[in-house]
Amino acid sequence: MPDKLKIGKLVVIGVGLIGASFALALKRARAVGRVVGVGRTRGNLAAALRMKAIDEATRDAAHAVRGADLVLLATPVGQMPAVMAAIAPHLSGRAIVTDAGSTKGDVIACARRFLGANFPRFVPAHPVAGTENSGAAAALAELYRGKNIVLTPQRETAAGAVALVQRAWEACGARVVRLDAAEHDTIFAAVSHLPHVVAFALVSALARRRNAGKLFGHSGGGLRDTVRIAGSSPAMWADICLANRDALLAALEDYENELETMRAAIESGDGDALRAIFGRARAARRKWLVKKQD
Amino acid sequence: MPDKLKIGKLVVIGVGLIGASFALALKRARAVGRVVGVGRTRGNLAAALRMKAIDEATRDAAHAVRGADLVLLATPVGQMPAVMAAIAPHLSGRAIVTDAGSTKGDVIACARRFLGANFPRFVPAHPVAGTENSGAAAALAELYRGKNIVLTPQRETAAGAVALVQRAWEACGARVVRLDAAEHDTIFAAVSHLPHVVAFALVSALARRRNAGKLFGHSGGGLRDTVRIAGSSPAMWADICLANRDALLAALEDYENELETMRAAIESGDGDALRAIFGRARAARRKWLVKKQD
């Protein structure tokens, strides 16, 4: 059995739902010494301090990372270039850096460009967890329990760095899996980024209508669940859509083709075709999603 | 205060989630004498008997409705013509008939055609409730508590018939509202039928992919909630899509245009446009859906 994990100084850059929950979980596991939170708004940093997710708050990432053992980048992916460029000169030779971005190809390219000599100690990661709420105030120490964390280490990535990041996530109660970065981006375009686009588009189309208030007033639990994730952060999701553009556009095209097949069946009154499509969808949901939940 | 509601003989044609839950709720409220369930499969009728949702089961609708005080038609809407044609000659002059169809224009046209002299005692209704599960075994006495029941009475509909159906639903704990039938169909095309098409299409597009198992294996709570209603009955939803074709196609077109706007923004890397659309969607969801839930 390995020694108990002890991270001396953890720096969380971007103290939102994801970053603050990571800090809370590590504190609860007594796996971390001091946590410094870096954020852009005083209100959110104050909330993170109040919840004791972080011990110290600053808006200066470069200063914060000095002496850090582990740095978690938990900002929207669009901010990664600026953040990495700012911290790179101040990282010690032993600092391990990881991220929580929902896309991996772009973040890895960015790290390769900006982290320089520290790149072998950068461990690309994607915690597959979250809620539709954002901000430190929404953080939960239990957010990652039983959830998957996908690591996409590169050829250069040091085994020791991967091991530490894996142990940190396991201390949060999560399960660590590995994927090739490009495969990760294709998979999550389909099962996460596309569903967000679908949910945002559905609410947006309804909201544009003259009688939007009446429409929503008559809606039931079906619409509510279908668009739950349209409560997610617009800035974060705009970043993700652009960072994973090609894979997302391919998944969107597949989906639009499926809608067109359904539209044609509705237009021509082809009940058999509709029953076949709906039946296949229901069977797939049962086989894969309901089973998974159990 | 009116006398306590007492329906002597209730006949439920189509003893699925909706019909069996109605019967259970009225029994719990002691508002009904005997309940006869009419169904097509012995297994489902046996389940309804076991749960005591019904007292007697038969596959003969014509025979069942003799002497009925209230008849609920809770079959998929595509079966309404055959059911109404079968029962019309056997309804007494006092029998009140109502339905639970998710579309109203087609059901009303069907009732006008097949119920003849009984048409003034037909009360078109749509309980806005349900789960993704089907069948009597999924029935819940509490299914309708706090839910909306939309009535769309016609010029000819007898006030006394509307009053009885309203009291029956209120005895189930529901809230009764009225809408024009055409307006009902436009509203529910947008807030219910379209979301089902969206959910079925999303699962179906993923299920067609070579690596479908792996895709679903990496999915999280976002996809799970977005496609929950793709667990609904394929036959019932094919019927609804065809029964409400014009309104659904119009809503689908709106939605596809919204997707195209988003696709264009993703393709051209227009983060401002994406943030604006996502932001409007999030604000609309908060204003209308989250507020409603509270």
Side-chain angles (χ1 to χ4, degrees), chain B residues 241-253:
Chain B
C241 290
L242 298 183
N244 200 20
R245 175 160 58 176
D246 294 344
L248 175 56
L249 287 173
L252 183 55
E253 190 174 344

Side-chain angles (χ1 to χ4, degrees), chain B residues 10-33:
Chain B
L10 168 68
V11 178
V12 176
I13 303 183
V15 192
L17 169 69
I18 295 297
S21 294
F22 181 73
L24 277 178
L26 288 178
K27 287 198 158 204
R28 180 170 296 187
R30 301 182 184 282
V32 68

Side-chain angles (χ1 to χ4, degrees), chain B residues 36-53:
Chain B
V36 180
V38 182
R40 291 184 304 178
T41 64
R42 291 183 201 279
N44 189 60
L45 287 172
L49 283 166
R50 256 195 321 273
M51 305 173 71
K52 301 193 193 306

Side-chain angles (χ1 to χ4, degrees), chain A residues 46-114:
Chain A
L49 282 167
R50 256 195 321 274
M51 304 173 71
K52 301 192 194 307
I54 61 177
D55 303 303
E56 190 184 318
T58 172
R59 297 199 285 177
D60 182 349
H63 182 80
V65 299
R66 288 188 192 136
D69 298 291
L70 180 64
V71 178
L72 172 70
L73 308 178
T75 64
V77 289
Q79 295 170 31
M80 296 281 182
V83 170
M84 289 187 189
I87 65 171
H90 306 283
L91 292 168
S92 79
R94 64 180 167 80
I96 293 170
V97 180
T98 187
D99 78 306
S102 297
T103 54
K104 297 275 60 80
D106 66 309
V107 172
I108 291 166
C110 175
R112 210 179 272 284
R113 178 165 167 208
F114 291 106

Side-chain angles (χ1 to χ4, degrees), chain B residues 110-182:
Chain B
C110 175
R112 210 178 272 284
R113 176 165 169 209
F114 290 107
L115 293 185
N118 290 95
F119 183 70
R121 285 180 304 283
F122 173 66
V123 182
H126 171 202
V128 186
T131 74
E132 70 279 21
N133 302 313
S134 340
L140 303 163
E142 295 296 308
L143 185 65
Y144 300 111
R145 189 155 301 282
K147 298 294 164 46
N148 273 1
I149 311 298
V150 181
L151 303 186
T152 62
Q154 301 298 289
R155 208 167 1 90
E156 304 93 321
T157 315
V162 175
L164 179 111
V165 170
Q166 171 155 357
R167 291 184 64 199
W169 281 114
E170 286 170 352
C172 300
R175 180 175 48 191
V176 172
V177 299
R178 297 194 191 191
L179 276 179
D180 169 75

Side-chain angles (χ1 to χ4, degrees), chain A residues 208 219 225 228 258 292, chain B residues 208 219 225 228 258 292:
Chain A
R208 278 184 203 278
S219 66
D225 287 358
R228 178 180 63 78
E258 190 73 35
K292 190 178 165 176
Chain B
R208 277 183 202 279
S219 66
D225 287 359
R228 178 180 63 79
E258 190 73 34
K292 189 178 165 178

